[in-house]
Amino acid sequence: MNWRTKPAGTARTFLAAMVAAMTLAPAALAEDNDMQAWIDEQIASGKNLAITAMHLKDGEVSYYAGGTTTAGEQITPDENTQFQMGSITKPFTDMLLAELVANGAVKYDTTIGELMDVEPKNPAVAEITLQSLATHTSGLPRLPVNLVPANPLDPYAGYDDDLLKKAVVEARNLQPLGDHYAYSNFGVGLLGYLLGEEQGDGYQKAMMALVVEPLGLTETGFTESGNVAQGFRSGDVVPAWSMDDALAGAGSLWGSVSDF
């Protein structure tokens, strides 16, 4: 049901457009009256448990929703319902990098070796820049070699700072980094960790202080509110992922469409 329309703010318009471009299916970007039909179709098919959507058109934002936040119950999601944002966290991490560059704490060409007191077995790893981590051009693999999930449904649980440092030491040992694009949770997670260390209070506090709060995103953060949609995949409820500061920059944020 479409329940509210409001003007879009400038900062939020930019962020919303970026997020929408990353996440919404083409069918959902059609005319306004097609949005609810698309949502209803996804819910009826069993592909999704809950959906909330924001549609930006001619400077106005419309909100839509369908399904239930909790399996077996009828709790309709609304614009403030939080979802674990997963990889949409990554552009937020890139914005944190931009803020730290703007205030002179780091540069885009600052290297891993300048910020981390470890000695990678492959010297080229130490020369990877923050910009390369942010743009998935570092040559690092998708995941750290020492990420061995105890629970496949919560694969990052327990992956801490010490394991991340060991992963950097072992990364691409005796292998060339290459010069091509390769999507890497390892790379952006490492970026978030390095930025948090440089700021001094860790990734989560740096993100809240320099990005989330200045943008006025009251429903975005690292803790759940009482209005949360359950994780859902392939017809089954799944737990939220546990992501410590070590790789939090790759996917730990929670948020709602009302913030965008």
Side-chain angles (χ1 to χ4, degrees):
M1 124 184 103
N2 178 340
W3 69 85
R4 191 156 73 85
T5 300
K6 69 175 184 180
T10 303
R12 293 185 181 182
T13 298
F14 167 77
L15 186 58
M18 175 174 63
V19 172
M22 294 175 61
T23 59
L24 287 181
L29 297 176
E31 291 301 317
D32 230 22
N33 57 5
D34 291 336
M35 182 75 82
Q36 190 63 51
W38 178 82
I39 290 175
D40 292 343
E41 178 185 343
Q42 302 306 303
I43 297 297
S45 71
K47 295 177 181 178
N48 296 276
L49 184 65
I51 296 176
T52 60
M54 178 212 73
H55 189 195
L56 174 64
K57 183 179 181 181
D58 299 330
E60 289 193 339
V61 176
S62 299
Y63 295 112
Y64 300 80
T68 178
T69 63
T70 306
E73 301 183 31
Q74 289 301 315
I75 305 175
T76 305
D78 59 32
E79 63 194 278
N80 297 313
T81 298
Q82 285 186 311
F83 293 77
Q84 192 166 37
M85 293 164 58
S87 285
I88 297 175
T89 303
K90 292 180 173 67
F92 283 83
T93 300
D94 288 355
M95 285 191 283
L96 178 58
L97 171 60
E99 288 297 321
L100 288 178
V101 170
N103 68 28
V106 297
K107 299 178 180 179
Y108 287 117
D109 61 0
T110 298
T111 65
I112 291 175
E114 293 176 75
L115 298 180
M116 234 178 164
D117 187 22
V118 299
E119 187 173 346
K121 292 181 179 179
N122 183 341
V125 171
E127 299 303 315
I128 292 172
T129 66
L130 299 182
Q131 179 170 310
S132 291
L133 293 175
T135 57
H136 300 277
T137 55
S138 67
L140 292 176
R142 182 182 180 89
L143 297 170
V145 67
N146 61 351
L147 177 62
V148 183
N151 178 3
L153 295 179
D154 193 6
Y156 295 91
Y159 195 85
D160 60 17
D161 296 357
D162 288 339
L163 287 170
L164 180 62
K165 292 174 184 178
K166 291 176 182 176
V168 172
V169 170
E170 298 292 337
R172 297 298 190 206
N173 183 22
L174 304 179
Q175 295 176 319
L177 284 179
D179 56 0
H180 58 281
Y181 165 94
Y183 188 89
S184 178
N185 283 346
F186 181 14
V188 183
L190 175 59
L191 173 64
Y193 170 79
L194 293 173
L195 297 177
E197 291 295 294
E198 188 63 22
Q199 181 67 5
D201 291 322
Y203 171 78
Q204 294 187 11
K205 289 184 178 179
M207 173 59 66
M208 296 302 295
L210 297 180
V211 177
V212 174
E213 292 172 1
L215 283 174
L217 305 181
T218 59
E219 300 293 334
T220 300
F222 299 95
T223 57
E224 309 168 30
S225 69
N227 183 3
V228 175
Q230 288 182 318
F232 195 74
R233 185 178 66 189
S234 302
D236 296 317
V237 173
V238 294
W241 283 2
S242 307
M243 300 188 77
D244 298 324
D245 259 10
L247 291 176
S252 60
L253 279 172
W254 289 79
S256 71
V257 294
S258 65
D259 266 350
F260 303 128

